[in-house]
Coordinates of all heavy atoms in Angstrom, one line a residue:
M1 N 7.2 23.4 -18.2 CA 7.1 23.5 -16.8 C 5.7 24.1 -16.4 O 5.0 24.6 -17.2 CB 8.2 24.3 -16.3 CG 9.6 23.7 -16.4 SD 10.1 23.5 -14.8 CE 11.6 23.0 -14.8
S2 N 5.5 24.1 -15.1 CA 4.2 24.7 -14.7 C 4.3 26.2 -14.5 O 5.4 26.7 -14.3 CB 3.7 24.0 -13.4 OG 4.6 24.4 -12.4
D3 N 3.2 26.9 -14.6 CA 3.1 28.3 -14.4 C 3.0 28.8 -13.0 O 3.2 29.9 -12.7 CB 1.9 28.9 -15.2 CG 2.1 28.6 -16.7 OD1 3.3 28.5 -17.2 OD2 1.1 28.5 -17.4
T4 N 2.7 27.9 -12.1 CA 2.5 28.3 -10.7 C 3.8 28.3 -10.0 O 4.7 27.4 -10.1 CB 1.6 27.3 -9.9 OG1 2.2 26.0 -10.0 CG2 0.2 27.2 -10.5
P5 N 4.1 29.4 -9.3 CA 5.4 29.5 -8.6 C 5.4 28.6 -7.3 O 4.3 28.5 -6.7 CB 5.4 31.0 -8.2 CG 4.0 31.5 -8.2 CD 3.3 30.6 -9.2
T6 N 6.5 28.1 -7.0 CA 6.6 27.3 -5.8 C 7.3 28.2 -4.7 O 8.2 28.9 -5.0 CB 7.5 26.1 -6.1 OG1 8.7 26.5 -6.5 CG2 6.8 25.1 -7.1
L7 N 6.7 28.1 -3.5 CA 7.3 28.9 -2.4 C 8.3 28.0 -1.7 O 8.1 26.8 -1.5 CB 6.1 29.2 -1.5 CG 5.0 30.1 -2.1 CD1 3.9 30.3 -1.1 CD2 5.6 31.5 -2.5
P8 N 9.3 28.7 -1.2 CA 10.3 27.9 -0.4 C 9.7 27.5 0.9 O 8.8 28.2 1.4 CB 11.4 28.9 -0.2 CG 10.9 30.2 -0.4 CD 9.7 30.0 -1.4
P9 N 10.0 26.4 1.5 CA 9.5 26.0 2.8 C 9.9 27.0 3.9 O 11.0 27.6 3.9 CB 10.1 24.7 3.1 CG 11.3 24.6 2.2 CD 11.0 25.5 1.1
T10 N 8.9 27.3 4.8 CA 9.2 28.2 5.9 C 9.9 27.5 7.0 O 9.4 26.4 7.4 CB 7.9 28.8 6.4 OG1 7.0 27.8 6.8 CG2 7.2 29.7 5.4
P11 N 11.0 28.0 7.4 CA 11.8 27.2 8.4 C 11.1 27.3 9.7 O 10.6 28.3 10.2 CB 13.2 27.9 8.4 CG 12.9 29.3 7.8 CD 11.7 29.2 6.9
G12 N 11.2 26.2 10.4 CA 10.7 26.1 11.8 C 9.2 26.0 12.0 O 8.7 25.8 13.1
K13 N 8.4 26.0 10.9 CA 7.0 25.9 11.1 C 6.5 24.5 11.1 O 5.7 24.1 12.0 CB 6.3 26.6 9.9 CG 4.9 27.1 10.2 CD 4.4 28.0 9.2 CE 3.1 28.7 9.7 NZ 2.6 29.6 8.8
F14 N 7.0 23.6 10.2 CA 6.6 22.2 10.2 C 7.8 21.4 10.3 O 8.6 21.3 9.4 CB 5.9 21.9 8.8 CG 4.6 22.6 8.6 CD1 4.5 23.7 7.7 CD2 3.5 22.3 9.3 CE1 3.3 24.4 7.5 CE2 2.3 23.0 9.1 CZ 2.2 24.0 8.2
K15 N 7.9 20.8 11.5 CA 9.1 20.0 11.7 C 8.6 18.5 11.5 O 7.6 18.1 11.9 CB 9.6 20.1 13.2 CG 10.2 21.5 13.4 CD 10.7 21.5 14.9 CE 11.3 22.9 15.1 NZ 11.7 23.0 16.5
P16 N 9.5 17.7 10.8 CA 9.1 16.3 10.7 C 9.1 15.6 12.0 O 9.9 15.9 12.9 CB 10.1 15.8 9.7 CG 11.3 16.7 9.8 CD 10.7 18.0 10.2
R17 N 8.1 14.7 12.2 CA 8.1 14.0 13.4 C 9.2 12.9 13.5 O 9.4 12.3 12.4 CB 6.7 13.3 13.6 CG 5.6 14.2 13.9 CD 4.3 13.6 13.6 NE 3.7 12.8 14.7 CZ 2.6 12.2 14.5 NH1 2.0 12.2 13.4 NH2 2.0 11.5 15.5
P18 N 9.7 12.7 14.6 CA 10.7 11.5 14.7 C 9.9 10.2 14.5 O 8.7 10.1 14.9 CB 11.3 11.7 16.1 CG 10.3 12.5 16.9 CD 9.6 13.4 15.9
P19 N 10.5 9.2 14.0 CA 9.8 7.9 13.8 C 9.4 7.4 15.2 O 10.1 7.4 16.1 CB 10.8 7.0 13.1 CG 12.1 7.7 13.3 CD 11.9 9.2 13.5
R20 N 8.2 6.8 15.2 CA 7.7 6.2 16.4 C 8.2 4.8 16.6 O 8.4 4.1 15.7 CB 6.2 6.1 16.4 CG 5.5 7.5 16.3 CD 4.0 7.4 16.3 NE 3.5 6.8 17.5 CZ 2.3 6.5 17.7 NH1 1.4 6.7 16.8 NH2 1.9 5.9 18.9
K21 N 8.5 4.5 17.9 CA 9.0 3.2 18.2 C 7.7 2.3 18.3 O 6.7 2.8 18.7 CB 9.7 3.2 19.6 CG 11.0 3.9 19.6 CD 11.6 3.7 20.9 CE 12.9 4.5 21.1 NZ 13.4 4.4 22.5
P22 N 7.9 1.0 18.0 CA 6.7 0.1 18.2 C 6.5 0.0 19.7 O 7.3 0.3 20.5 CB 7.3 -1.2 17.7 CG 8.4 -0.9 16.7 CD 8.9 0.4 17.2
F23 N 5.2 -0.3 20.0 CA 4.8 -0.4 21.4 C 5.7 -1.3 22.3 O 6.0 -1.0 23.4 CB 3.3 -0.8 21.5 CG 2.8 -0.9 23.0 CD1 2.6 0.3 23.7 CD2 2.6 -2.1 23.6 CE1 2.1 0.2 25.0 CE2 2.2 -2.2 24.9 CZ 1.9 -1.0 25.6
F24 N 6.0 -2.4 21.7 CA 6.8 -3.4 22.5 C 8.3 -3.2 22.4 O 9.0 -4.0 23.1 CB 6.5 -4.8 22.0 CG 5.0 -5.2 22.3 CD1 4.1 -5.4 21.2 CD2 4.6 -5.4 23.5 CE1 2.8 -5.8 21.5 CE2 3.3 -5.8 23.8 CZ 2.4 -6.0 22.8
A25 N 8.7 -2.2 21.7 CA 10.2 -2.0 21.7 C 10.7 -1.6 23.0 O 10.2 -0.7 23.7 CB 10.5 -0.9 20.7
G26 N 11.7 -2.3 23.5 CA 12.3 -2.0 24.8 C 11.6 -2.6 26.0 O 12.0 -2.4 27.1
R27 N 10.5 -3.3 25.7 CA 9.8 -3.9 26.9 C 10.4 -5.2 27.2 O 11.1 -5.8 26.3 CB 8.3 -4.1 26.5 CG 7.6 -2.9 26.0 CD 6.9 -2.2 27.1 NE 6.1 -1.1 26.5 CZ 5.9 0.0 27.1 NH1 6.4 0.2 28.3 NH2 5.2 0.9 26.5
S28 N 10.2 -5.7 28.3 CA 10.8 -7.0 28.7 C 10.1 -8.2 28.0 O 9.0 -8.1 27.5 CB 10.6 -7.2 30.2 OG 9.3 -7.5 30.5
S29 N 10.9 -9.2 27.9 CA 10.4 -10.4 27.2 C 9.3 -11.1 28.0 O 8.4 -11.7 27.4 CB 11.5 -11.5 27.0 OG 12.5 -10.9 26.1
G30 N 9.3 -11.0 29.3 CA 8.3 -11.6 30.1 C 6.9 -10.9 29.9 O 5.9 -11.6 29.8
L31 N 6.9 -9.6 29.7 CA 5.7 -8.9 29.4 C 5.1 -9.3 28.1 O 3.9 -9.5 27.9 CB 5.9 -7.4 29.4 CG 4.7 -6.5 29.1 CD1 3.6 -6.7 30.1 CD2 5.1 -5.1 29.0
K32 N 6.0 -9.5 27.1 CA 5.6 -9.9 25.8 C 5.0 -11.3 25.8 O 3.9 -11.6 25.2 CB 6.7 -9.9 24.8 CG 7.2 -8.5 24.5 CD 8.4 -8.6 23.5 CE 9.1 -7.3 23.3 NZ 10.3 -7.3 22.5
L33 N 5.6 -12.2 26.6 CA 5.1 -13.5 26.7 C 3.7 -13.6 27.4 O 2.8 -14.3 27.0 CB 6.1 -14.4 27.5 CG 5.7 -15.8 27.8 CD1 5.7 -16.6 26.4 CD2 6.7 -16.5 28.7
I34 N 3.5 -12.7 28.4 CA 2.3 -12.7 29.1 C 1.2 -12.2 28.2 O 0.1 -12.7 28.2 CB 2.4 -11.8 30.4 CG1 3.2 -12.5 31.4 CG2 1.0 -11.5 31.0 CD1 3.6 -11.7 32.6
I35 N 1.5 -11.2 27.4 CA 0.5 -10.6 26.5 C 0.1 -11.7 25.4 O -1.1 -11.8 25.1 CB 1.0 -9.3 25.9 CG1 1.0 -8.2 26.9 CG2 0.1 -8.9 24.7 CD1 1.6 -6.9 26.5
V36 N 1.1 -12.4 24.9 CA 0.8 -13.4 23.9 C 0.0 -14.5 24.4 O -1.0 -15.0 23.8 CB 2.2 -13.9 23.3 CG1 1.9 -15.2 22.4 CG2 2.8 -12.9 22.4
C37 N 0.3 -14.9 25.7 CA -0.5 -16.0 26.3 C -1.9 -15.5 26.5 O -2.9 -16.3 26.3 CB 0.2 -16.4 27.6 SG 1.7 -17.3 27.4
A38 N -2.1 -14.3 26.9 CA -3.4 -13.8 27.2 C -4.2 -13.7 25.8 O -5.4 -14.1 25.8 CB -3.4 -12.4 27.8
L39 N -3.6 -13.3 24.8 CA -4.2 -13.3 23.5 C -4.6 -14.7 23.0 O -5.7 -14.9 22.4 CB -3.4 -12.6 22.4 CG -3.2 -11.1 22.6 CD1 -2.2 -10.6 21.6 CD2 -4.6 -10.4 22.4
V40 N -3.7 -15.7 23.3 CA -4.0 -17.1 22.9 C -5.3 -17.6 23.6 O -6.1 -18.2 23.1 CB -2.8 -18.0 23.1 CG1 -3.2 -19.4 23.1 CG2 -1.7 -17.7 22.1
L41 N -5.3 -17.3 24.9 CA -6.5 -17.7 25.7 C -7.8 -17.0 25.2 O -8.8 -17.7 25.1 CB -6.2 -17.4 27.2 CG -5.3 -18.3 27.9 CD1 -5.0 -17.8 29.3 CD2 -5.8 -19.7 27.9
L42 N -7.7 -15.8 24.9 CA -8.9 -15.1 24.4 C -9.3 -15.6 23.1 O -10.5 -15.7 22.8 CB -8.6 -13.6 24.3 CG -8.6 -12.8 25.6 CD1 -8.1 -11.3 25.3 CD2 -9.9 -12.8 26.2
M43 N -8.4 -16.0 22.2 CA -8.8 -16.5 20.9 C -9.2 -17.9 21.0 O -9.9 -18.4 20.1 CB -7.6 -16.3 20.0 CG -7.3 -14.9 19.7 SD -5.8 -14.7 18.7 CE -6.4 -15.3 17.1
S44 N -8.9 -18.7 22.0 CA -9.3 -20.1 22.2 C -10.8 -20.2 22.6 O -11.4 -21.2 22.4 CB -8.4 -20.8 23.1 OG -8.6 -20.4 24.4
I45 N -11.3 -19.1 23.2 CA -12.7 -19.2 23.7 C -13.7 -19.4 22.5 O -14.5 -20.3 22.5 CB -13.1 -17.9 24.5 CG1 -12.3 -18.0 25.8 CG2 -14.6 -17.8 24.8 CD1 -12.4 -16.7 26.7
P46 N -13.6 -18.6 21.4 CA -14.5 -18.8 20.3 C -14.3 -20.2 19.6 O -15.2 -20.8 19.2 CB -14.2 -17.7 19.3 CG -13.5 -16.6 20.1 CD -12.9 -17.3 21.2
A47 N -13.0 -20.7 19.6 CA -12.7 -22.0 19.1 C -13.4 -23.1 19.9 O -13.9 -24.0 19.3 CB -11.2 -22.2 19.0
M48 N -13.5 -22.9 21.2 CA -14.2 -23.9 22.0 C -15.7 -23.9 21.7 O -16.3 -24.9 21.7 CB -13.9 -23.6 23.5 CG -12.5 -24.0 23.9 SD -12.3 -24.0 25.7 CE -12.2 -22.2 26.0
F49 N -16.3 -22.7 21.5 CA -17.7 -22.6 21.2 C -18.0 -23.3 19.9 O -19.0 -24.0 19.7 CB -18.1 -21.1 21.1 CG -18.3 -20.4 22.4 CD1 -17.8 -19.2 22.7 CD2 -19.0 -21.1 23.5 CE1 -18.0 -18.5 23.9 CE2 -19.1 -20.5 24.7 CZ -18.6 -19.2 24.9
I50 N -17.1 -23.1 18.9 CA -17.3 -23.7 17.6 C -17.2 -25.2 17.7 O -18.0 -25.9 17.1 CB -16.3 -23.1 16.6 CG1 -16.7 -21.6 16.3 CG2 -16.3 -23.9 15.3 CD1 -15.6 -20.9 15.5
S51 N -16.3 -25.7 18.4 CA -16.1 -27.2 18.5 C -17.3 -27.8 19.3 O -17.8 -28.8 19.0 CB -14.8 -27.5 19.2 OG -14.8 -27.1 20.6
Y52 N -17.8 -27.0 20.3 CA -19.0 -27.5 21.0 C -20.2 -27.6 20.1 O -21.0 -28.5 20.1 CB -19.3 -26.6 22.2 CG -20.6 -27.0 22.9 CD1 -20.7 -28.2 23.7 CD2 -21.7 -26.2 22.8 CE1 -21.8 -28.6 24.3 CE2 -22.9 -26.6 23.4 CZ -22.9 -27.8 24.2 OH -24.1 -28.1 24.8
I53 N -20.4 -26.5 19.3 CA -21.6 -26.5 18.4 C -21.4 -27.6 17.3 O -22.4 -28.3 17.0 CB -21.7 -25.1 17.7 CG1 -22.1 -24.1 18.7 CG2 -22.6 -25.2 16.5 CD1 -22.1 -22.7 18.1
S54 N -20.2 -27.9 16.9 CA -20.0 -29.0 15.9 C -20.3 -30.3 16.5 O -21.0 -31.2 15.9 CB -18.6 -28.9 15.4 OG -18.3 -30.0 14.6
Y55 N -19.9 -30.5 17.8 CA -20.1 -31.8 18.5 C -21.6 -32.0 18.7 O -22.2 -33.0 18.5 CB -19.4 -31.8 19.8 CG -19.8 -33.0 20.7 CD1 -19.4 -34.3 20.4 CD2 -20.6 -32.8 21.8 CE1 -19.8 -35.3 21.2 CE2 -21.0 -33.8 22.6 CZ -20.6 -35.1 22.3 OH -21.0 -36.1 23.1
E56 N -22.3 -30.9 19.1 CA -23.7 -30.9 19.4 C -24.5 -31.3 18.1 O -25.4 -32.1 18.2 CB -24.2 -29.6 20.0 CG -25.6 -29.5 20.4 CD -26.0 -28.2 20.9 OE1 -25.4 -27.2 20.6 OE2 -27.1 -28.1 21.5
R57 N -24.2 -30.7 17.0 CA -24.9 -30.9 15.8 C -24.6 -32.3 15.3 O -25.6 -33.0 14.8 CB -24.5 -29.9 14.7 CG -25.1 -28.6 15.0 CD -24.8 -27.6 13.9 NE -25.4 -26.3 14.3 CZ -25.3 -25.2 13.5 NH1 -24.6 -25.3 12.4 NH2 -25.8 -24.1 13.9
S58 N -23.4 -32.9 15.4 CA -23.2 -34.2 15.0 C -23.9 -35.2 15.8 O -24.4 -36.2 15.3 CB -21.7 -34.5 14.9 OG -21.1 -34.5 16.2
S59 N -23.9 -35.0 17.1 CA -24.7 -35.9 18.0 C -26.2 -35.8 17.8 O -26.9 -36.8 17.8 CB -24.4 -35.7 19.5 OG -24.8 -34.4 19.9
R60 N -26.7 -34.6 17.5 CA -28.1 -34.5 17.1 C -28.4 -35.2 15.8 O -29.5 -35.8 15.7 CB -28.5 -33.0 17.0 CG -29.9 -32.8 16.6 CD -30.9 -33.2 17.7 NE -32.2 -32.9 17.2 CZ -33.2 -33.7 17.5 NH1 -33.1 -34.8 18.2 NH2 -34.4 -33.4 17.0
A61 N -27.5 -35.2 14.8 CA -27.7 -35.9 13.6 C -27.8 -37.4 13.8 O -28.6 -38.1 13.2 CB -26.6 -35.5 12.6
D62 N -26.9 -37.9 14.7 CA -26.9 -39.3 15.0 C -28.2 -39.7 15.7 O -28.8 -40.7 15.4 CB -25.7 -39.7 15.9 CG -24.4 -39.6 15.2 OD1 -24.4 -39.6 13.9 OD2 -23.4 -39.5 15.9
D63 N -28.7 -38.8 16.6 CA -30.0 -39.1 17.3 C -31.1 -39.1 16.3 O -32.0 -40.0 16.4 CB -30.2 -38.1 18.4 CG -29.3 -38.2 19.5 OD1 -28.6 -39.2 19.7 OD2 -29.2 -37.2 20.3
V64 N -31.2 -38.2 15.4 CA -32.3 -38.1 14.4 C -32.2 -39.3 13.5 O -33.2 -39.9 13.2 CB -32.2 -36.8 13.6 CG1 -33.1 -36.9 12.4 CG2 -32.5 -35.6 14.5
T65 N -31.0 -39.7 13.0 CA -30.9 -40.9 12.2 C -31.4 -42.2 12.9 O -32.1 -43.0 12.4 CB -29.4 -41.1 11.8 OG1 -29.0 -40.0 11.1 CG2 -29.3 -42.3 10.9
R66 N -31.0 -42.3 14.2 CA -31.5 -43.5 15.0 C -33.0 -43.4 15.2 O -33.7 -44.4 15.0 CB -30.8 -43.4 16.3 CG -30.9 -44.7 17.1 CD -30.1 -44.7 18.4 NE -28.7 -44.4 18.2 CZ -28.1 -43.2 18.6 NH1 -28.8 -42.3 19.2 NH2 -26.9 -43.0 18.4
E67 N -33.5 -42.2 15.4 CA -35.0 -42.1 15.6 C -35.8 -42.4 14.4 O -36.8 -43.1 14.4 CB -35.3 -40.7 16.1 CG -36.7 -40.4 16.4 CD -37.0 -39.0 16.9 OE1 -36.1 -38.4 17.5 OE2 -38.1 -38.5 16.6
V68 N -35.3 -41.9 13.2 CA -36.0 -42.2 12.0 C -35.9 -43.7 11.6 O -36.9 -44.3 11.1 CB -35.4 -41.3 10.8 CG1 -35.9 -41.7 9.5 CG2 -35.8 -39.8 11.1
S69 N -34.8 -44.3 11.9 CA -34.6 -45.7 11.6 C -35.5 -46.5 12.4 O -36.1 -47.5 12.0 CB -33.2 -46.1 11.8 OG -32.3 -45.4 11.0
Q70 N -35.7 -46.2 13.7 CA -36.6 -46.9 14.6 C -38.1 -46.7 14.2 O -38.9 -47.7 14.2 CB -36.4 -46.5 16.0 CG -35.1 -47.0 16.6 CD -34.9 -46.5 18.0 OE1 -35.7 -45.6 18.5 NE2 -33.9 -46.9 18.7
D71 N -38.4 -45.5 13.8 CA -39.8 -45.2 13.5 C -40.3 -45.8 12.1 O -41.4 -46.4 12.0 CB -40.1 -43.7 13.5 CG -40.1 -43.2 14.9 OD1 -40.1 -44.0 15.9 OD2 -40.0 -41.9 15.0
Y72 N -39.4 -45.7 11.1 CA -39.8 -46.0 9.8 C -39.1 -47.3 9.2 O -39.6 -47.8 8.2 CB -39.6 -44.8 8.8 CG -40.4 -43.7 9.2 CD1 -39.8 -42.5 9.8 CD2 -41.8 -43.6 8.9 CE1 -40.6 -41.5 10.1 CE2 -42.5 -42.5 9.3 CZ -41.9 -41.4 9.9 OH -42.7 -40.3 10.2
G73 N -38.1 -47.7 9.8 CA -37.4 -48.9 9.3 C -37.9 -50.1 9.9 O -38.2 -50.2 11.1
G74 N -37.9 -51.2 9.2 CA -38.3 -52.5 9.7 C -37.1 -53.4 9.7 O -36.0 -53.0 9.5
A75 N -37.4 -54.6 10.0 CA -36.3 -55.6 10.0 C -35.9 -55.8 8.6 O -36.7 -56.0 7.7 CB -36.8 -56.9 10.6
A76 N -34.6 -55.9 8.4 CA -34.1 -56.1 7.0 C -34.0 -57.6 6.8 O -33.4 -58.4 7.6 CB -32.7 -55.5 6.9
T77 N -34.6 -58.1 5.7 CA -34.6 -59.5 5.4 C -34.0 -59.6 4.0 O -34.3 -58.8 3.1 CB -36.0 -60.1 5.4 OG1 -36.8 -59.4 4.5 CG2 -36.6 -60.1 6.8
G78 N -33.3 -60.7 3.8 CA -32.7 -60.9 2.4 C -33.4 -62.1 1.8 O -33.6 -63.2 2.4
H79 N -33.7 -62.0 0.5 CA -34.3 -63.1 -0.2 C -33.3 -63.5 -1.4 O -32.7 -62.6 -1.9 CB -35.7 -62.8 -0.7 CG -36.6 -62.5 0.4 ND1 -37.2 -63.5 1.1 CD2 -37.2 -61.3 0.8 CE1 -38.0 -62.9 2.0 NE2 -38.0 -61.6 1.8
G80 N -33.3 -64.7 -1.7 CA -32.5 -65.1 -2.9 C -31.5 -66.1 -2.5 O -31.4 -66.6 -1.4
A81 N -30.6 -66.4 -3.4 CA -29.6 -67.4 -3.2 C -28.5 -66.9 -2.3 O -28.1 -65.7 -2.4 CB -29.0 -67.8 -4.6
T82 N -28.0 -67.7 -1.5 CA -26.8 -67.4 -0.7 C -25.6 -68.2 -1.1 O -25.7 -69.3 -1.6 CB -27.1 -67.7 0.8 OG1 -27.4 -69.1 0.9 CG2 -28.3 -66.9 1.3
H83 N -24.5 -67.6 -1.0 CA -23.3 -68.3 -1.4 C -22.4 -68.4 -0.2 O -22.0 -67.5 0.5 CB -22.6 -67.4 -2.5 CG -21.3 -68.0 -3.0 ND1 -21.3 -69.1 -3.8 CD2 -20.0 -67.6 -2.8 CE1 -20.0 -69.4 -4.1 NE2 -19.3 -68.5 -3.5
R84 N -22.0 -69.7 0.1 CA -21.2 -70.0 1.2 C -19.9 -70.6 0.7 O -20.0 -71.5 -0.2 CB -21.9 -70.9 2.2 CG -23.0 -70.2 2.9 CD -23.6 -71.1 4.0 NE -24.7 -70.4 4.5 CZ -25.4 -70.9 5.5 NH1 -25.1 -72.1 6.0 NH2 -26.4 -70.2 6.0
R85 N -18.8 -70.3 1.3 CA -17.6 -70.8 0.9 C -16.9 -71.3 2.1 O -16.8 -70.6 3.1 CB -16.7 -69.8 0.1 CG -15.5 -70.4 -0.5 CD -14.9 -69.4 -1.4 NE -14.3 -68.3 -0.7 CZ -13.6 -67.3 -1.2 NH1 -13.4 -67.3 -2.5 NH2 -13.1 -66.4 -0.5
A86 N -16.3 -72.5 2.0 CA -15.6 -73.0 3.2 C -14.3 -72.3 3.4 O -13.6 -72.0 2.5 CB -15.3 -74.5 3.0
I87 N -14.0 -71.9 4.7 CA -12.8 -71.2 5.0 C -11.9 -72.2 5.8 O -12.4 -72.7 6.8 CB -13.1 -69.9 5.7 CG1 -14.0 -69.0 4.9 CG2 -11.8 -69.2 6.2 CD1 -14.4 -67.8 5.6
R88 N -10.7 -72.4 5.4 CA -9.8 -73.2 6.2 C -8.9 -72.3 7.0 O -8.4 -71.3 6.5 CB -9.0 -74.1 5.3 CG -9.9 -75.2 4.6 CD -9.0 -76.2 3.9 NE -8.4 -75.5 2.8 CZ -7.6 -76.1 1.9 NH1 -7.3 -77.4 2.1 NH2 -7.1 -75.4 0.9
Q89 N -8.6 -72.8 8.1 CA -7.6 -72.1 8.9 C -6.2 -72.6 8.6 O -6.0 -73.8 8.6 CB -7.9 -72.2 10.4 CG -9.1 -71.5 10.9 CD -9.3 -71.7 12.3 OE1 -8.6 -72.4 13.0 NE2 -10.3 -71.0 12.9
T90 N -5.3 -71.8 8.4 CA -3.9 -72.2 8.1 C -3.1 -72.0 9.4 O -3.3 -71.0 10.1 CB -3.3 -71.5 6.9 OG1 -3.4 -70.1 7.2 CG2 -4.1 -71.8 5.7
Q91 N -2.1 -72.9 9.6 CA -1.3 -72.8 10.8 C 0.1 -72.6 10.4 O 0.7 -72.9 9.4 CB -1.4 -74.0 11.7 CG -2.8 -74.1 12.3 CD -2.9 -75.3 13.2 OE1 -1.9 -76.1 13.3 NE2 -4.0 -75.4 13.8

């Protein structure tokens, strides 16, 4: 065992705290619904910014591809044998 003596607890000096209730305990369901809706709206704002940035970058990529194709690309021509096969329509 240990050599240090243990002191008995002094009565009345340190009282244990009663457990705390959660903030929403006992509140109305309407208040909870309003708070949840407000949080959803607040969290959707960054999502809209991200989707706008994604749309902007994809449209810019399309514009750059079109611009490079017009500046450096010429008409595509094919040389060589062609193969044609007759297609019949069936009724």
